[in-house]
Amino acid sequence: MPVDKNILIEYADMKEEIKDLRRRIEQNKKELSRLNGQVVMDSVSCGKKGKKPLGTVKITGRPVTAISRKESLLNKRIRRLEELEEELLELTIQVDEYIEMIEKSELRIIFRLYFLDDLSYPKVADQMNQRFPKRRTKYTDENIRKKIQRYFENVPQCPDKK
């Protein structure tokens, strides 16, 4: 499979999907602990003698079906998270290979900071300024954004240009 810029997009999307799945798993765990602490009570009549009930009894218990459904959903989501994390690891390797194909060292560093480390443009600019303090023109979020944009406009293996 040829490596192109779409791998970067897929990588970013998968990271967001994993974040969302983790949030949902946490939400499920909270709901499950709430359900496990919950006690359900009901009053039922004990048979009838004619038209009158013989008496009523209070029944208490836990919402077992709701708990088992939530546990099932939680387990399913945890398995999916494990699968996605494995896929993300494979994708990370592909993203790393893609970045290694970039000729300029400066751009490789910028791409690693932006795509792999998930830093924003201003944070990438700060990191670059720390790494290259003697550079005459300081890095800004705007010129980081432009460098990435220009690279994608000029990259030869970019499928958008075919």
Side-chain angles (χ1 to χ4, degrees):
M1 176 181 103
V3 181
D4 60 24
K5 78 173 186 177
N6 291 327
I7 202 83
L8 299 173
I9 296 165
E10 180 62 27
Y11 178 76
D13 291 347
M14 188 170 282
K15 281 171 58 172
E16 286 305 312
E17 184 179 4
I18 286 173
K19 280 182 197 174
D20 180 58
L21 198 52
R22 282 190 179 129
R23 181 189 58 78
R24 290 175 190 276
I25 287 172
E26 279 307 308
Q27 186 179 5
N28 264 85
K29 285 179 180 177
K30 286 178 186 172
E31 288 175 14
L32 202 53
S33 76
R34 182 184 57 79
L35 283 174
N36 277 323
Q38 191 176 35
V39 176
V40 180
M41 297 174 90
D42 196 9
S43 296
V44 292
S45 58
C46 302
K48 291 186 176 184
K49 185 174 183 181
K51 294 187 178 190
K52 291 184 178 182
L54 292 173
T56 58
V57 178
K58 284 189 179 181
I59 298 175
T60 60
R62 292 176 41 228
V64 179
T65 42
I67 289 172
S68 66
R69 283 189 197 136
K70 288 286 180 190
E71 284 175 342
S72 170
L73 179 63
L74 179 64
N75 290 333
K76 185 177 175 184
R77 284 182 172 165
I78 289 172
R79 281 192 304 277
R80 180 66 183 140
L81 179 64
E82 290 167 355
E83 291 170 8
L84 282 176
E85 286 175 337
E86 237 176 84
E87 286 179 43
L88 184 67
L89 192 59
E90 289 296 317
L91 223 51
T92 304
I93 293 168
Q94 292 177 11
V95 167
D96 219 24
E97 289 171 357
Y98 178 82
I99 291 173
E100 285 302 314
M101 292 180 351
I102 298 172
E103 289 181 23
K104 285 188 162 188
S105 175
E106 173 194 43
L107 271 176
R108 285 195 302 268
I109 295 169
I110 290 171
F111 271 59
R112 280 189 199 104
L113 291 171
Y114 184 72
F115 290 103
L116 289 175
D117 297 343
D118 218 14
L119 298 180
S120 63
Y121 293 130
K123 289 182 180 177
V124 171
D126 289 343
Q127 287 287 319
M128 291 301 286
N129 286 325
Q130 288 175 16
R131 292 172 190 214
F132 301 101
K134 295 181 181 177
R135 188 171 189 254
R136 247 186 325 137
T137 321
K138 295 292 179 196
Y139 290 96
T140 64
D141 58 333
E142 186 61 26
N143 79 10
I144 294 293
R145 187 182 64 76
K146 279 288 189 192
K147 283 180 184 291
I148 293 172
Q149 187 179 358
R150 282 190 198 112
Y151 176 79
F152 286 131
E153 287 171 0
N154 299 326
V155 67
Q157 77 270 18
C158 180
D160 297 345
K161 294 292 177 184
K162 288 182 181 174

